[in-house]
Amino acid sequence: MLPPAVMQRAQSEMIDWQGRGVSVMEVSHRDKPFMAVAAKAEADLRELMAIPNNYKVLFLAGGGRSQFTAVPLNLLKEGEQADYLITGQWSKAAYEEAKRFRDVAIAGEIDMSQKPISLPTDIKVRDGAKYLHYCPNETVDGIEMFEEPNVAVPLVADMSSCILSRQIDVSKYGLIYAGAQKNIGPSGLVVVIVRDDLLRDDLVVPCIWDYTKQAEQGSMLNTPPTYSWYLAGLVFEWLKEVGGVAAMEAHNAAKAELLYGAIDSIGLYQNLVAPSCRSRMNVVWQLKDESLNEAFLAEAEALGLMALKGHRFVGGMRASMYNAMPLEGTQALVTFMADFAKRHG
Ligand SMILES: *Cc1c(COP(=O)(O)O)cnc(C)c1O
């Protein structure tokens, strides 16, 4: 979900942007008006996340998954090593992709058969490892890691589904990337935040995903996804207006508390993730009687409560409550869940 105010603004500017008689999609990315949009979006993101000056911010095409390949190719020469922490589907997928190109190993892996599901505590990074990759919020599994792993190598984090949802200290990371479609804007765009000292020029990387080249060119080595960049900028402006990341953090914590409270207190439902690592963005739960799944989804949809079916890999239910989801949405869901339980319990 994107903020309705942003969608309305984009709509109003669609065919006549800044009184120019054209859409932002129709201007050159190298002309001043678009360059200003690009610069403002970057400045606003830097402000929202308090990104230090020794980090580059890139706006690239390819979405979140493109970085599963780009990260190892940009940070590792052939023969160099990196380690991956596996806490769910997405960090596993990042590891599998990196393994196709470079020497990567598993630094720790979550055991989903242990209930409640808890994060691995024993993280072992190899001596020669150049970075540790992890995924702070596992979108599919509903597992969130609120503390950074405590290791001596640079952290690389896939923040696709938690960027801008809570405050983080960017200086604790070597590299952060995030596909845009959860908390930033349209799919296909990916934001990469990379510390200067990790940029290399001794590697062979596909040029459009070469961090060093793209940093030199202001992410305009190729034509960037301009409309997505523009929309991301509108979302950043909106975020600043509504109080920034601190306000979002409180808003997201309130939604999550409400929904987990309902799951834990209504006997029909269960969530098997330990409370300390329950995701605020993606809440998963099961109906203890799975034969009620179809009825639950159909009744919810009839009330306008959409997209509650869990990911096909894990089943059950999932509510994704990204920044733009209002508290009223969660309240409506919780009211329905209680009502459904009364009728089917
Ligand atoms: C959605 C998601 C991705 C994949 O993003 P695409 O843009 O579809 O490639 C990767 N990582 C995480 C954590 C995600 O939530």
Side-chain angles (χ1 to χ4, degrees), residues 172-209:
K172 289 184 176 167
Y173 297 82
L175 189 150
I176 292 166
Y177 63 91
Q181 69 271 36
K182 278 81 178 212
N183 264 337
I184 294 179
S187 58
L189 174 72
V190 59
V191 172
V192 179
I193 302 165
V194 55
R195 206 172 63 208
D196 288 341
D197 63 286
L198 295 177
L199 295 173
R200 303 172 63 157
D201 54 13
D202 60 337
L203 302 178
V204 181
V205 182
C207 66
I208 64 163
W209 288 327

Side-chain angles (χ1 to χ4, degrees), residues 62-66 68 90 135 137 139 158 160-161 179 181-182:
R65 223 177 234 278
S66 67
F68 292 1
W90 282 118
C135 181
N137 185 60
T139 324
D158 174 1
S160 295
S161 56
Q181 69 271 36
K182 278 81 178 212

